[in-house]
Amino acid sequence: MKLSCSFLGRVVMLLFIASSSGAQSIHLPKEGKFRFGDDPEWANPAFNDSDWGTQQLGKSYTKDSSYAWYRISVFIPSSIRTATGKGLKLQLGKIDDADQTFFNGKLIGETGSFPPGYITQWEQQRVYIIPEKEVQWDRENIIAVRVYNLVGGMGMWEGPYSITPLGWVDEVEVTHSFTGTFHSGFITKIRFTNKAAHSFSGTINYWVTDKANKKKLFSRVRTVRLSPGAGSEATVTFPDFRAPGETVFNIGYRVTDQGSALFLEREELYVATAGLSLPFKGSVSPLVENKIPDHFSGGSFENEQYKGYLNTRFRQNLEQRLLKVDEFGLIGSYLKRPGIHPWAGEHIGKYLEAACNVWKLTHNPALKKQMDRLMYELISTQLPDGYLGTYTPDQYWTSWDVWSHKYNLHGLLAYYSTTGYLPALEACRKMGDLLCRTFGKGPGQMDIILAGTHIGMAATSVLDGMVELYKYTADKKYLDFCYYILDAWEQENGPKVISSILATGKVRKVGNGKAYEMLSNYVGLIKLYRVTGEPRFLQAVELAWQDVVKNQLYITGTSSSHEYFQEDDYLPADNTANMGEGCVTTTWVQLNQNLFAVTGDLKYLEQLEKSVYNHLLAAENPQTGCVSYYTPLMGKKPYTCNITCCQSSVPRGIALVPGFTFGKLNNIPTVLFYEPAVYKYRLNGQGKKNTEVVLKLDGNFPESGNFTLTVSTASAAVIPLALRVPAWCTNFTATAGGDLYKAGADQLVNITRSWKPGEKLLISFDMPVQYLPGGKSYPGQFALQRGPQVLALDKSLNTTEVNEKLANTKEGVELDQSGPLMHTNNLPAGWIGKQSYSIGIANSNEKMVLVPFAEASQSEADMKVWLPLNVKK
């Protein structure tokens, strides 16, 4: 069977990315003088800094709530001085968090704000203008950078670092686009927009070469002219080009003007995907079985159909996020290396894994075309030695390079296992082989701990991908590499991922306490346990899990503040706390999913349910598909639609959910989430091999706890069935054919009976409201939970009187707790979700309106989970 992907007219717009310009550029030194502290005299070019230390530019370090200064000496030759006298452009890359930059003692720019009005701008590129009169030509000049950091990483963490003369390249905006045509052809358009009052005339040298950039296939020279005045435009089009047998090209151009030596040059890879048709062979299973048998195995996504609350969010994840994703934002950093930032390479792998899971559930044809196209583009950028990162050779295996390879292993293995497309597996083999050659303890090999951030935890998290590669290839060298990683953890310079947790039981004492990277390592370790059966691996992961649940977990099923595990029970939840990083939430879901599979213990399923119905869904706006990097419990959720690590992780997390709503627990089909859905599976045994069973669960969860489960088979059959009794419910009953089944909270109801075709099982339970205390971080405050959902007060849904009463109370607002929460019907048009509840305020006619935290702030209003309440115990 073949699935054809025909996609014509794809346009890739690129704005100021991966280009070079200038007549002569000066690169700043690789390191500068450095000192913690704060003294205005340090901006003085005459200051004696001989006793200062040094710090590498482009490298982050960690020191909370601190000031520091860089002093960088640079020789500026008069040869770059222009006749126009416009001065120079200083590029300092990205600085965490805020900076003030001085040139020869004069303040030339600042980004972000220092205390007391602290504002971080850690991802903002710093580009400052040096007036020509301040330059000491043919002499050393001093650039002094004052930096402040609140928490986490700090400093001049990412370039570029250069000085270039100002000229026409700063006055003319140049963008280009490629439009695919039939037979792997493309049309190139270069657009010029004037930003200055005067005219511009220039020459374009355009060329196309093969993938290896060794053979010139096409070239042409054109002229361009812009009329005077800001906003004037001109577009130069280069004709449809195609080369038989070629689908991957290097396309470049160089623009020069007619009055200076300044130039703009750009070159990047282009992969022709118009008319792409990839073979589809069907799903592929691993070659290596787990040594530890699974106690739980999820149902096949293809045999699941959702109809209720989760289905709405699954559909939004597909339609509002995946299908609208910025494709160039995913793949662009591979088409033109180096990438736009150090971890730009992780996004495409995360996308592919999410897209494969969503496609298995929906078989959406547009998604299939999109993921085919992006997968093909990705493997087309792989170098002959297997390298599939976004760095240039001088920066290979630094910062987040191994990390990006990890996610490419995930994404391409997901694509291979979903479609059977062998080139995706071969790309993974090449990556795996390169990693095995590069890292190790043999002659000429590198130490993987030194190849990534956070005491090596970023790089060593590739353990997860290498375990999966071993399972799909049965090549033992990949398993050996996994054990090399475990050895590296315990080196003197390693994060002690196993030994630290075994010795202390505290995740904040493992490595540097960075939550996302650490949990990623534990996901790899639990997968290695499933393959090898070594008990200490499970012991280490379970100890980490226990500490997170007991001391580090928010009531909404996430962890971390400022991306780190904090002191026990310190769980700040407002916007300034940078809590609930989306990557942490998703990785926590992965860890619990693996633990539940290998143990079958419902405590892990309980954590999955908590995360899904609260923090995971809360991180993606159901109206827009935009994602919040950090998702606070207090304040406005900061949704953005651009691509960052969490914006790629959260859709991936949501796409995992169908894997644990239903499945076989200890070989018994078990309903775990009470979402309206249809599940199909095959019944084996008792002479009824391969008999199809269809379970249809009808209800209105999580609004209601009343359901009908219809069991359909071709003929009467004895079918075992289990129902999970959630820990948060009461009065659970199930009735079929006059028989009543019960069990206590957090247990299973096991039913084995002869089912007639179409026979129904009636299920009912109550969801009482729980009042959760705010603990050490929010003493005297409470949150309300109904069923699995934590509720929130969205200010846009409440009256001014209620909002003011909650903001101004000193004694705590007393609620009418005599009755249940009441459903309301006051949700505004366009609101995604049907649940809203009211509860009366004692001694008042006012009612407080609450909605699920997962839906609050979708209209950009402030909201609160922790409320100042006077609760009667």
Side-chain angles (χ1 to χ4, degrees), residues 328-372:
F328 187 77
L330 297 177
I331 195 67
S333 291
Y334 289 91
L335 299 174
K336 180 58 182 179
R337 298 176 172 107
I340 58 173
H341 58 72
W343 56 84
E346 73 181 60
H347 305 305
I348 183 64
K350 290 180 176 181
Y351 160 83
L352 284 173
E353 186 181 12
C356 287
N357 282 330
V358 172
W359 183 78
K360 285 188 293 186
L361 183 69
T362 65
H363 279 255
N364 181 276
L367 181 63
K368 182 62 166 60
K369 291 179 181 180
Q370 184 189 61
M371 69 190 218
D372 284 353

Side-chain angles (χ1 to χ4, degrees), residues 313 621-624 637 639 794 830-833 854-861:
R313 300 306 294 266
N621 190 317
Q623 293 189 28
T624 65
K637 297 176 186 173
Y639 292 118
D794 186 302
W831 186 273
I832 303 297
E855 297 162 15
S857 195
Q858 62 179 269
S859 59
E860 300 190 354

Side-chain angles (χ1 to χ4, degrees), residues 17 31 33 190 200 209 256 260 312 335 379 447 458 587 592 605 616 656 661 678 769 798:
I17 183 164
E31 63 181 21
K33 292 285 189 175
I190 305 176
F200 168 76
T209 66
T256 56
S260 75
T312 299
L335 299 174
I379 64 174
D447 179 357
T587 312
N592 280 283
L605 196 282
L616 182 63
L656 294 173
T661 63
V678 175
V769 175
N798 283 270

Side-chain angles (χ1 to χ4, degrees), residues 550-570:
K550 182 179 178 182
N551 301 308
Q552 301 285 344
L553 196 68
Y554 288 86
I555 60 172
T556 50
T558 191
S559 190
S560 81
S561 172
H562 297 288
E563 305 190 6
Y564 287 78
F565 290 122
Q566 303 293 330
E567 294 293 324
D568 289 358
D569 301 318
Y570 177 64

Side-chain angles (χ1 to χ4, degrees), residues 503-759:
T504 69
K506 297 293 184 183
V507 289
R508 59 186 171 85
K509 294 190 178 292
V510 176
N512 64 349
K514 185 67 162 57
Y516 177 22
E517 289 74 11
M518 187 194 308
L519 289 176
S520 298
N521 279 272
Y522 284 128
V523 170
L525 188 59
I526 191 61
K527 288 186 177 182
L528 188 61
Y529 166 72
R530 296 172 72 179
V531 169
T532 66
E534 293 198 32
R536 67 189 180 103
F537 300 166
L538 177 62
Q539 182 187 5
V541 175
E542 287 184 325
L543 280 173
W545 182 90
Q546 290 166 14
D547 184 46
V548 172
V549 171
K550 182 179 178 182
N551 301 308
Q552 301 285 344
L553 196 68
Y554 288 86
I555 60 172
T556 50
T558 191
S559 190
S560 81
S561 172
H562 297 288
E563 305 190 6
Y564 287 78
F565 290 122
Q566 303 293 330
E567 294 293 324
D568 289 358
D569 301 318
Y570 177 64
L571 299 168
D574 62 16
N575 271 307
T576 64
N578 288 352
M579 63 147 295
E581 182 187 2
C583 296
V584 172
T585 307
T586 293
T587 312
W588 178 243
V589 167
Q590 290 178 289
L591 187 66
N592 280 283
Q593 184 178 14
N594 277 274
L595 283 166
F596 181 54
V598 77
T599 67
D601 193 323
L602 289 176
K603 67 184 181 184
Y604 302 118
L605 196 282
E606 182 182 347
Q607 295 301 327
L608 286 168
E609 183 181 61
K610 180 185 295 186
S611 296
V612 168
Y613 281 99
N614 294 292
H615 225 89
L616 182 63
L617 293 183
E620 186 173 277
N621 190 317
Q623 293 189 28
T624 65
C626 296
V627 173
S628 52
Y629 191 113
Y630 306 112
T631 309
L633 307 188
M634 313 289 282
K636 184 172 72 172
K637 297 176 186 173
Y639 292 118
T640 60
C641 290
N642 59 307
I643 293 178
T644 67
C645 58
C646 297
Q647 277 78 347
S648 297
S649 287
V650 169
R652 177 172 168 245
I654 294 173
L656 294 173
V657 176
F660 47 79
T661 63
F662 169 83
K664 290 187 177 180
L665 181 58
N666 298 318
N667 292 318
I668 298 175
T670 305
V671 176
L672 298 168
F673 282 19
Y674 286 91
E675 285 292 330
V678 175
Y679 301 109
K680 299 179 182 179
Y681 64 95
R682 293 284 175 179
L683 178 66
N684 293 316
Q686 299 181 347
K688 298 185 179 296
K689 292 187 178 295
N690 294 320
T691 298
E692 184 177 73
V693 178
V694 179
L695 302 180
K696 184 171 182 284
L697 184 63
D698 291 307
N700 198 25
F701 188 80
E703 293 178 61
S704 166
N706 298 308
F707 313 90
T708 300
L709 180 66
T710 304
V711 182
S712 297
T713 58
S715 59
V718 175
I719 300 173
L721 185 65
L723 308 173
R724 168 179 167 254
V725 182
W728 38 259
C729 80
T730 58
N731 301 321
F732 187 102
T733 62
T735 306
D739 295 324
L740 179 65
Y741 303 90
K742 291 184 177 183
D746 207 24
Q747 296 182 20
L748 294 172
V749 171
N750 290 291
I751 303 171
T752 300
R753 58 180 288 122
S754 178
W755 297 89
K756 300 174 184 177
E759 191 170 0

Side-chain angles (χ1 to χ4, degrees), residues 65-81:
S65 190
S66 59
Y67 291 84
W69 284 69
Y70 294 81
R71 285 173 57 87
I72 305 162
S73 178
V74 58
F75 181 87
I76 303 181
S78 57
S79 59
I80 71 168
R81 192 173 189 173

